[in-house]
Amino acid sequence: MKQLKALSAPYLVWMFVFILVPLLMVAYFAFTTDEGTLTMQYISDVGQYANIFVRSIWLALIATVICLVVAYPLAFILSRMDKHKQGTMLMIVMLPMWMNFLLRTYAWMTLLGNNGIINYLLGEIGLGPFKLINTSGAVVLGMVYNYLPFMILPLYSVIVKIDKSVIEAASDLGCNFWNTLLRVIVPLSVPGITSGITMVFVPAISTFIISRMLGGGSNLLIGDLIEMQFLGNAYNPHLGAAISLVLMVIILLIMTVMNQFSPDDQVLI
Amino acid sequence: MKKLSKLYVALVLMFLYVPIFVLIVFSFNESKSRSVFSGFTLEWYERLFHNDIIISSLINTIIIAILASIISTILGTLAAIGINSMKKVPKAVVMNITNMPVINPEIVTGVSMMLLFVFFAARMHVEFGFVTLLIAHITFDVPYVILNIMPKFKQMDPHLFEAAQDLGCSPFMAFRKVILPEIMPGIVSGFLMAFTYSLDDFVISYFTSGSTSQTLPITIYSMTRRKVSPEINALSTLIFLTVVIILIVKNIIETRAAKKNGAYKGA
């Protein structure tokens, strides 16, 4: 097989130039000034935005918990359906994911707007109008709507593989439904839970579209902050790189914690 | 219990589908209102088809997705074969770097590539546009191709390649006749994944496209930033319909294939 190694050469060059070098450049920009002298200025400047970091982590956390709470029963119910029904149901659940997430978020923009249909319908029965859009609640809603299927899929694929005889054994040994669920099924679906959490939390904490479209100007997230440093008025790639670096470290920490709960190589991506 | 679970599934599906159906209904609305349906019209669809920016960015998106997925499939297939025959440590190093664009938030990948392109643009005559966009798409596509192919090697007998050569195959023939058929399902699913990711990508394209070469998601984004136009609703409806049709066709093909296989096994 030795001569086959050479086949990866073009990719190794590509990987070096377009994956590794750009990431090293982020690190370089974060620690240097325009003149190229070493500085900790930008990293310490990130501290000024602690409130935005806290808000991003908090909103992403709420969205992840809601996704888990909503998705778990659904994944469980799906896994108990007839085999031929499961495939179709899974397709129906995943179908909205195939539409671009900008359009999905736009849909909520029109629903939640001050002149949107929700406020109109509430007005008809004499309520409101409520301020729905441009709130942090709307941002969380957008995250849940966009990333819910990311939670359903890994949960379903783990729960459906749980050996039926284990569940039967539990009930033979005197477990009722809830005991079986809590003591057998939930512990066995931990790999699905951890990968679902990562798959929702990572895009949620780094989004800048959902916060911009549904959160108005007052709900800036880390993603918005980075985007502003590169394409916005606040052009400052050094600060942007420093923020990106801190974000990467946060995510790496969370993934390490998550991996602690997963038995060795069962991590699903 | 059974009724309760049915109700629950129905509620979640409602949450997932009601926003899309509202979009679709209002794409036929005569006025620009987002809440009152005042009459049926196809005007927004007509405007959509005459909107040059949307049409050209759609064509651009398709060209980029096709080119990026083909190039990344070739690059990724060769890479996977090579990586598979590496020793343990270099293999782990390469796979870890390959995983980075998958694990990293999209915005970090986009920003890191933007920094690289800015650096190049300052020193050589590289401008942001089609080329940078294509490079970025290939870069985030290749890992998915590799990750789809690598598991296929685990299922394959590692001595098959040598056996073929012992039996008189040239290395190229052994590759074509032995390795390629074994990893083909991985190549196909990797290609399809790369293609759909390319079609759908917004964040990385947003940071690497510049102003000359736009993809459909970028055009959609700038449309949502400007004043409300039901053209977006019309576009969403068409995209939703396309997705539904593709998935139904895919489902029919798969059930037929499954039935055929079943019939063979039965006979």
Side-chain angles (χ1 to χ4, degrees), chain A residues 103-126:
Chain A
L103 294 175
R104 276 180 277 142
T105 313
Y106 175 77
W108 279 103
M109 244 172 108
T110 63
L111 286 176
L112 298 175
N114 294 332
N115 304 313
I117 196 159
I118 294 179
N119 264 325
Y120 173 78
L121 291 178
L122 286 175
E124 289 290 287
I125 54 169

Side-chain angles (χ1 to χ4, degrees), chain B residues 6-266:
Chain B
K6 268 193 182 153
L7 180 73
Y8 189 76
V9 174
L11 279 176
V12 175
L13 289 183
M14 237 176 80
F15 173 63
L16 288 173
Y17 279 92
V18 164
I20 296 174
F21 283 123
V22 172
L23 267 192
I24 292 175
V25 168
F26 280 92
S27 75
F28 300 109
N29 191 7
E30 213 168 47
S31 76
K32 280 192 177 184
S33 164
R34 290 162 158 190
S35 49
V36 187
F37 196 86
S38 51
F40 181 87
T41 178
L42 287 173
E43 186 197 339
W44 309 112
Y45 288 88
E46 213 182 306
R47 283 214 204 166
L48 186 69
F49 290 122
H50 292 112
N51 188 329
D52 291 336
I53 300 172
I54 289 182
I55 302 295
S56 72
S57 58
L58 174 67
I59 294 171
N60 211 7
T61 309
I62 293 173
I63 293 175
I64 298 237
I66 291 175
L67 283 178
S69 51
I70 291 176
I71 296 172
S72 56
T73 303
I74 296 170
L75 209 58
T77 306
L78 294 176
I81 297 166
I83 294 168
N84 182 54
S85 47
M86 282 177 181
K87 288 208 182 71
K88 210 175 169 195
V89 174
K91 189 178 184 174
V93 171
V94 173
M95 283 314 286
N96 272 324
I97 301 175
T98 300
N99 268 322
M100 275 179 177
V102 181
I103 296 168
N104 260 340
E106 283 178 311
I107 193 170
V108 173
T109 308
V111 159
S112 72
M113 297 210 73
M114 184 186 168
L115 280 178
L116 180 83
F117 293 144
V118 168
F119 180 82
F120 272 126
R123 280 153 191 83
M124 290 172 226
H125 285 286
V126 184
E127 269 179 36
F128 276 74
F130 187 82
V131 177
T132 51
L133 205 52
L134 184 61
I135 290 175
H137 276 234
I138 295 170
T139 307
F140 73 74
D141 278 345
V142 181
Y144 290 105
V145 177
I146 296 177
L147 292 175
N148 267 294
I149 297 177
M150 290 308 278
K152 299 285 164 225
F153 284 112
K154 273 196 186 155
Q155 300 158 6
M156 192 177 110
D157 186 340
H159 300 297
L160 275 179
F161 183 64
E162 284 152 30
Q165 281 176 296
D166 288 347
L167 293 169
C169 272
S170 69
F172 178 72
M173 239 172 101
F175 167 71
R176 218 181 49 137
K177 296 265 183 193
V178 177
I179 297 183
L180 209 54
E182 289 277 334
I183 61 173
M184 207 51 186
I187 298 176
V188 173
S189 56
F191 171 79
L192 290 175
M193 216 164 159
F195 185 73
T196 41
Y197 272 96
S198 264
L199 274 187
D200 208 44
D201 174 71
F202 167 73
V203 176
I204 296 169
S205 308
Y206 180 67
F207 285 100
T208 53
S209 66
S211 53
T212 51
S213 202
Q214 301 223 313
T215 62
L216 191 59
I218 296 176
T219 308
I220 293 171
Y221 177 64
S222 49
M223 278 170 84
T224 63
R225 303 303 293 162
R226 276 184 261 118
K227 61 177 193 288
V228 198
S229 161
E231 278 171 64
I232 303 182
N233 297 37
L235 185 64
S236 311
T237 308
L238 293 179
I239 291 177
F240 185 73
L241 269 182
T242 318
V243 168
V244 170
I245 291 170
I246 290 174
L247 286 182
I248 288 175
V249 170
K250 183 179 157 265
N251 221 22
I252 291 174
I253 292 173
E254 273 172 5
T255 7
R256 274 202 190 153
K259 264 187 196 156
K260 232 181 185 176
N261 280 343
Y264 277 126
K265 266 176 207 153

Side-chain angles (χ1 to χ4, degrees), chain A residues 49-62 136 143 205 217-222:
Chain A
Y49 302 102
N51 59 333
I52 295 181
F53 272 83
V54 170
R55 181 190 297 137
S56 303
I57 294 171
W58 179 235
L59 294 187
L61 206 66
I62 297 175
S136 50
M143 289 173 177
I205 195 181
S218 54
N219 286 291
L220 284 185
L221 300 183
I222 303 175

Side-chain angles (χ1 to χ4, degrees), chain A residues 21-44:
Chain A
V21 170
L23 287 174
L24 292 175
M25 279 179 84
V26 172
Y28 176 80
F29 266 73
F31 288 109
T32 54
T33 61
D34 270 335
E35 289 78 38
T37 47
L38 216 60
T39 177
M40 285 303 282
Q41 182 64 43
Y42 298 109
I43 294 288
S44 63

